[in-house]
Amino acid sequence: MTHVLVIGAYGSAGVAAATDLAEDPAVDRLTLVDDGDPGGGLCILRGCMPSKELLSAAAHRFQVRHDDRLEGDPSLAVETVIDTKDEHIENFAAHRRGAVNRLADREDVEFLTESASFVGDRTVAVGDRVFEPDYVILATGSSISLPDLPGMDSVDPMTSADVLEARELPDSGVVMGFGVVGMELVPYLREAGDVDLTVIEHDDRPLDDADDAFGDAILDIYRGAFGIDVVTNAHEQSIARTEDGDVRLTVEHRDGATEAIEAEQLFAFTGRRPALDGLDLNAAGLDPGSGWVRNTMQARDDDRIFVVGDANGREPILHVAKEEGFLAAENIGNHLAGEPLREYTNTYHRVVFSGAGVYPYARVGHSAASAAAAGLDVEVVTREASQDGVFKTKAAPEGLARLVVDADDGTVLGYQGLHYHADVMAKTMQVIIENELPVQSVPDRAYHPTTPEIIDGLLSAAGEAV
Ligand SMILES: Cc1cc2nc3c(=O)[nH]c(=O)nc-3n(C[C@H](O)[C@H](O)[C@H](O)COP(=O)(O)OP(=O)(O)OC[C@H]3O[C@@H](n4cnc5c(N)ncnc54)[C@H](O)[C@@H]3O)c2cc1C
């Protein structure tokens, strides 16, 4: 009799694991636990789905503002944007809850809508019941992380969760956190509320995993097309509330000079941390320090506890959470059968819906910098969106794209795009890169006038280079 308990069954990682385990004949008993109210997981309730819906509204206004063929300056009906989003999100969440409840209809599956915590080695308390399963899958997700900045207690920052619910926006704001979430929500705030924004960036440019040219292009687009003040090479020192109720953020510049920035509201898009509080990992002998989860998804301290999704702090994005959930289910089967466990590996794949989604950044596989760091001998070709007339005809002429190919045999190793439709092109590039196709074998025939002409241009230049 094999019993598996999943903590966080409504989330993307947990539901993936639960779905496969329910079908596994080697698992006779499955206990699912989630305390979400309403359930649905982060991606659906306060993550990917609502943020992309708000961005789609922002994209329309941005495009109207930047297309001389249109007249007037429409504003977003923020109440309607939020109402419509809420309606969609409730449907998606109900669908997720339905999927989990259908699993629980099975005789060997039980679903408990309460909080779980460890009370001993692989021993889990849920409400007034205590379970001693053979395996535990920990898929508890992540929670918002606020910096420990002097004065933080005196202000009431708006986080991503607040912005996704906000029916009214302030006139001005100062933004801490210019990672993926900040880069997505800053243009929304601009388009939805004409919020006058100052963004603090710690380095020369944002987009740490991108080649520098892409971070520089983001700065140009945010400053130029969105009118956002991005202060680079600045670090937050303290925050205070002013006498008239605004916030004053003091930053230190690279040269040591300090500057006080005042605004009506502080926005904190300062990242997330694994949601492990309240689980009492200590009781299970788990120490969530560096390297606490192996590539097989097993906890270093207990090879029958698997930690997947945002909870393991490795790659907090949706498709990784799902893949890790499926892998944990597969590896429980392997462990039971005495087979070697599979390690999680993936091709780098990120899409940032920057520039209100009109100028998304996508990277699949290597950047030029990561290829160099890996010691690969590569050819790098770059193309500006302005070289392709099609982007001008669509009133989205900014941006660039880059291909990294093996210098010897032309295998396509990486694509980056920061341009109109780059998010969609990531799929084509995933097929090429994951199948290790040589650049010479990919047709560079343009179906004029379509935006993938930028890819054809890259393929043709890379083909000539190798
Ligand atoms: C604003 C924003 C935008 C994003 N956009 C994207 C995007 O465009 N693309 C992308 O790939 N990713 C995006 N993400 C990231 C993505 O949402 C997450 O990586 C993903 O949802 C994590 O899934 P998960 O299963 O690990 O966690 P979750 O979905 O958070 O699931 C965890 C579950 O565990 C439950 N739980 C927690 N503790 C307990 C406990 N003690 N007992 C019982 N149950 C418990 C919770 O109720 C929850 O249901 C975004 C995130 C944010 C915040």
Side-chain angles (χ1 to χ4, degrees), residues 8 11-13 34-36 41-43 47-48 52 115-116 139-141 309-310 316-318:
S12 304
D34 201 298
D35 61 4
L42 175 68
C43 177
C48 339
K52 292 331 77 89
S115 297
T140 50
D310 284 12
I317 50 175
L318 170 71

Side-chain angles (χ1 to χ4, degrees), residues 163-180:
V163 171
L164 296 177
E165 297 298 324
R167 290 168 185 276
E168 283 182 16
L169 293 168
D171 289 336
S172 62
V174 56
V175 178
M176 291 170 62
F178 203 33
V180 173

Side-chain angles (χ1 to χ4, degrees), residues 79-141:
E79 289 271 352
T80 311
V81 170
I82 301 297
D83 285 345
T84 316
K85 178 268 297 177
D86 284 349
E87 191 186 323
H88 292 157
I89 293 316
E90 179 44 40
N91 285 339
F92 299 144
H95 189 261
R96 169 68 56 81
R97 291 194 293 272
V100 177
N101 284 317
R102 274 193 300 283
L103 287 177
D105 287 341
R106 299 173 183 225
E107 212 174 292
D108 51 353
V109 182
E110 185 180 16
F111 180 37
L112 304 168
T113 53
E114 289 184 85
S115 297
S117 64
F118 287 99
V119 289
D121 279 344
R122 222 178 317 115
T123 307
V124 179
V126 184
D128 54 8
R129 295 173 64 185
V130 174
F131 297 88
E132 292 186 54
D134 300 291
Y135 296 91
V136 175
I137 294 185
L138 204 59
T140 50

